[in-house]
Amino acid sequence: DYTTLLGFYGGIATPPGQEDKYGISVLTFPEGSLHIVENTELSMYFDKCNSSLSDSSGNLLLYTNGVDIGNAAWDTLQGGWDLKNVEPLRSIWPQFALCLPKPGDASRVMVFYGDYEIFQHTFSSPIWYTSLNLYAAEVDMNLDNGLGGVVTRDIPVIEDTLGIGKFTACKHANGRDWWVLAHEQYSDRFYRVLLDPSGAHYAGEQKIAIPFEDGVGQACFTPDGSKYIMYDGIDFDTATPIGNLLNIFDFDRCSGMLSNQIQIIIEQGAFGGMAISPNSRYLYLSQSDRAYQYDLWADDIEASKTLIMVYDGYRAPLPTYSFFLQRMPDDKLYGCTVNQSNVLHVIHYPDEPGMACQFQQHGIHLPARNSNSVPNFPYFRLGPLDGSPCDTLGLDNHPRAWYRYEQDTLDPLLVEFRDLSYYEPATWRWDFGDGSPVSAQRHPWHTFPGPDVYDVCLTVSNANGTDTHCKKLYLGVSAQDNPVLQSQITVSPNPFADRLSVALNASLRSPVFRLSDGAGRLVLEERLVMGINELETVGLPAGLYFWRVESGGEVVKAGKVVAVE
């Protein structure tokens, strides 16, 4: 889940003033923190349907919008075009494609996708769609000089009318294989698929206790694999409301079976999405102009519902109502908007109860508009269920240490550390590299004694082993001597014509961009936000200009650019 692609076709001509609509935003997470760049080469768009896969080192392998499969060279993967050879409407359904590593073979990837069928279409009633079957394509990443190629495509996995999208997966209790779930449309029947070293296999069906309507929403497993949850947005407050349905199940990672169904009927609301906190406790439900938190550990889950967001009126240019949600590798939850916009919402502390989770509306700015899309990722960092009857492969949860950090915007020597370790660490040991006592907290704050370069190491342990991860922190030194901070600020293009793009991938206090001409006269001044800042420069004469990004009165980074007619 290291790389996410959002947006429309890149590299195409657009009318003046519409340049921000087209192009692809590429989100990556080097060292656990978000980094955003623009891609204008990729001729693919992601309209709700979006899945990708990177290797364990974070290198992008492939991606799909449910219609085509792309490679790391921003081209169509060999044999990966026109899946099922149908019209590209599949790209408009969320979670309609899913990329998984094939168990037992690091060079193979399985891409799951659905087909669709129009089963009602009259002038007096809306168009209705149904998913028609679940298919898979097998990709060999050794083909085409390492860019990969499809070796088998359109493999029938489930043959039935299925709910619209919501294909998702969970690691089998053996820690190697995968369960993939799908449900029959307007039915009480669920299908399960097992992906193991021999491929994807139909593994049976199950009838649940309470049937439900099929709508637009999301499905996901809790990160610990103990629950499966599905939200179906069905009703827009019509005269005869059906209600929107939230279904919560216990999940058996050995058998792939669901149990203990809880169905919550939400009478008001609309289409929406959901995601689960990293600690598997809190469910976040996004419903347009509202967002809620549910406590999955509460005795009465429905009664635990807490309002955490009300739409603030922001437009970009249309209202930025909240839509689908997805957990990312930095353990934050990111959400797209209902209308196509260049912003994402962010839940900064999803493990915290109520308003402490900090739902920030339009907290991330993208270089191009996003077409209602977030990626469809399972939780890749789930290991075997130790001690279960299916823990038969001899795999253990050997902990892996990983963390991110953020400097306080007012005090650069005060740092917040967030543990991102996985495979069930039980203890944490932080060495801050400044001679202070070590910390056993999971997410510590620490004040360093003074400006310097510090080697900060996190060591995590459990009964199976220990792992350490270290980083260099440049604290209190000149911003221009901090190579990490310098890499987090870029200004492009150069030369430029009618706009400049300032990418800010660091948390700075009141950052400002200033542009001066060759005579030192200030010609442009703009406050910056996290993410991509598009600055209009129409009317500036051709010539040499000098720019600087300032924070708290200090020049963080500076450079020069050339304007052309």
Side-chain angles (χ1 to χ4, degrees):
D1 56 0
Y2 185 88
T3 305
T4 289
L5 308 174
L6 304 173
F8 291 82
Y9 297 102
I12 63 176
T14 57
Q18 294 294 313
E19 292 84 355
D20 67 334
K21 182 174 182 180
Y22 296 95
I24 300 295
S25 302
V26 183
L27 283 61
T28 58
F29 293 84
E31 294 300 316
S33 297
L34 174 64
H35 184 78
I36 306 172
V37 297
E38 183 177 12
N39 181 296
T40 57
E41 303 173 56
L42 180 59
S43 296
M44 184 182 288
Y45 74 103
F46 300 92
D47 188 354
K48 299 182 185 67
C49 184
N50 184 331
S51 188
S52 59
L53 189 69
S54 297
D55 65 18
S56 58
S57 299
N59 302 304
L60 179 64
L61 297 176
L62 51 77
Y63 43 89
T64 182
N65 61 358
V67 179
D68 302 304
I69 306 173
N71 63 27
W74 313 120
D75 199 357
T76 305
L77 189 86
Q78 186 180 90
W81 53 85
D82 294 336
L83 300 173
K84 284 304 297 172
N85 295 311
V86 297
E87 293 295 322
L89 280 175
R90 282 167 294 142
S91 67
I92 70 172
W93 303 123
Q95 293 185 295
F96 217 55
L98 178 66
C99 302
L100 294 175
K102 186 178 182 182
D105 190 340
S107 67
R108 297 280 176 130
V109 176
M110 300 296 294
V111 179
F112 293 88
Y113 49 94
D115 202 348
Y116 76 95
E117 181 178 81
I118 300 174
F119 66 89
Q120 180 178 351
H121 185 189
T122 69
F123 290 108
S124 60
S125 63
I127 299 174
W128 295 89
Y129 299 94
T130 183
S131 303
L132 187 65
N133 308 329
L134 177 66
Y135 298 92
E138 184 167 349
V139 177
D140 184 348
M141 294 307 304
N142 291 321
L143 298 178
D144 196 17
N145 297 313
L147 291 174
V150 174
V151 292
T152 311
R153 54 181 284 160
D154 302 338
I155 305 167
V157 179
I158 300 175
E159 297 184 86
D160 197 355
T161 53
L162 303 176
I164 296 175
K166 305 187 200 73
F167 300 145
T168 188
C170 181
K171 272 284 184 72
H172 189 283
N174 63 20
R176 180 196 66 188
D177 303 335
W178 290 90
W179 290 111
V180 178
L181 291 191
H183 71 94
E184 185 180 31
Q185 191 172 52
Y186 304 126
S187 170
D188 60 355
R189 191 191 317 273
F190 267 86
Y191 294 104
R192 59 188 181 275
V193 173
L194 181 64
L195 176 62
D196 62 21
S198 61
H201 311 282
Y202 170 73
E205 62 185 62
Q206 173 188 2
K207 289 193 174 183
I208 58 174
I210 311 173
F212 51 88
E213 298 286 337
D214 188 59
V216 177
Q218 284 180 282
C220 63
F221 292 90
T222 54
D224 64 6
S226 65
K227 292 185 183 296
Y228 172 81
I229 306 169
M230 177 180 290
Y231 174 71
D232 287 274
I234 302 165
D235 181 63
F236 278 109
D237 297 325
T238 60
T240 55
I242 302 171
N244 303 285
L245 302 178
L246 185 64
N247 285 275
I248 302 170
F249 301 86
D250 289 340
F251 181 68
D252 187 327
R253 292 176 59 197
C254 282
S255 65
M257 298 286 284
L258 303 170
S259 61
N260 300 323
Q261 180 183 7
I262 298 173
Q263 185 174 94
I264 298 174
I265 300 175
I266 304 169
E267 293 183 355
Q268 293 184 340
F271 297 167
M274 64 169 192
I276 311 298
S277 62
N279 65 2
S280 296
R281 178 169 184 172
Y282 297 112
L283 183 157
Y284 291 89
L285 178 63
S286 167
Q287 287 187 303
S288 191
D289 63 346
R290 299 284 193 276
Y292 301 93
Q293 181 192 77
Y294 290 83
D295 187 348
L296 295 174
W297 297 357
D299 292 333
D300 187 339
I301 296 176
E302 183 173 7
S304 73
K305 179 179 179 180
T306 302
L307 178 67
I308 59 168
M309 184 278 289
V310 176
Y311 171 57
D312 62 5
Y314 187 84
R315 301 171 70 93
L318 297 174
T320 55
Y321 298 129
S322 185
F323 209 3
F324 303 122
L325 295 170
Q326 174 64 47
R327 176 190 178 182
M328 293 294 199
D330 58 0
D331 276 0
K332 299 181 181 183
L333 306 185
Y334 290 73
C336 67
T337 65
V338 171
N339 297 305
Q340 298 166 358
S341 73
N342 66 337
V343 299
L344 295 175
H345 306 306
V346 187
I347 301 178
H348 289 277
Y349 300 100
D351 282 346
E352 300 298 325
M355 298 300 291
C357 72
Q358 293 190 23
F359 190 119
Q360 182 185 11
Q361 299 181 60
H362 47 87
I364 299 295
H365 286 244
L366 304 171
R369 295 187 196 175
N370 175 30
S371 184
N372 320 122
S373 179
V374 295
N376 185 20
F377 290 137
Y379 183 55
F380 290 104
R381 299 171 182 85
L382 183 61
L385 186 59
D386 290 332
S388 74
C390 297
D391 183 17
T392 58
L393 300 180
L395 302 177
D396 292 313
N397 283 293
H398 291 278
R400 295 292 301 273
W402 199 31
Y403 72 89
R404 61 176 172 84
Y405 68 93
E406 292 182 12
Q407 291 176 254
D408 184 80
T409 56
L410 297 177
D411 181 359
L413 297 178
L414 176 59
V415 180
E416 176 193 12
F417 293 93
R418 300 295 295 183
D419 169 57
L420 303 176
S421 304
Y422 49 99
Y423 294 141
E424 299 186 9
T427 63
W428 295 262
R429 183 182 186 276
W430 294 87
D431 184 345
F432 299 111
D434 60 359
S436 62
V438 299
S439 172
Q441 293 181 314
R442 183 177 180 187
H443 306 298
W445 287 77
H446 184 71
T447 300
F448 289 83
D452 208 339
V453 180
Y454 298 94
D455 290 306
V456 178
C457 296
L458 168 63
T459 300
V460 295
S461 302
N462 65 16
N464 297 314
T466 297
D467 189 46
T468 299
H469 182 63
C470 300
K471 297 179 183 179
K472 285 188 180 294
L473 273 63
Y474 296 81
L475 303 179
V477 299
S478 168
Q480 297 187 55
D481 293 331
N482 184 338
V484 175
L485 186 55
Q486 295 298 297
S487 69
Q488 293 173 330
I489 302 171
T490 57
V491 176
S492 63
N494 189 15
F496 71 97
D498 52 5
R499 69 168 183 156
L500 276 173
S501 176
V502 181
L504 179 62
N505 293 296
S507 178
L508 298 178
R509 176 165 55 99
S510 301
V512 177
F513 177 85
R514 292 186 170 94
L515 186 69
S516 302
D517 63 17
R521 294 183 294 260
L522 184 67
V523 298
L524 179 65
E525 180 176 280
E526 294 283 350
R527 291 199 173 274
L528 302 177
V529 296
M530 179 74 168
I532 303 297
N533 298 261
E534 298 291 345
L535 310 181
E536 293 293 335
T537 57
V538 176
L540 287 181
L544 180 66
Y545 291 84
F546 299 89
W547 62 265
R548 60 192 185 275
V549 173
E550 299 180 7
S551 173
E554 178 188 7
V555 176
V556 179
K557 189 173 182 179
K560 52 189 177 182
V561 288
V562 175
V564 295
E565 294 183 355

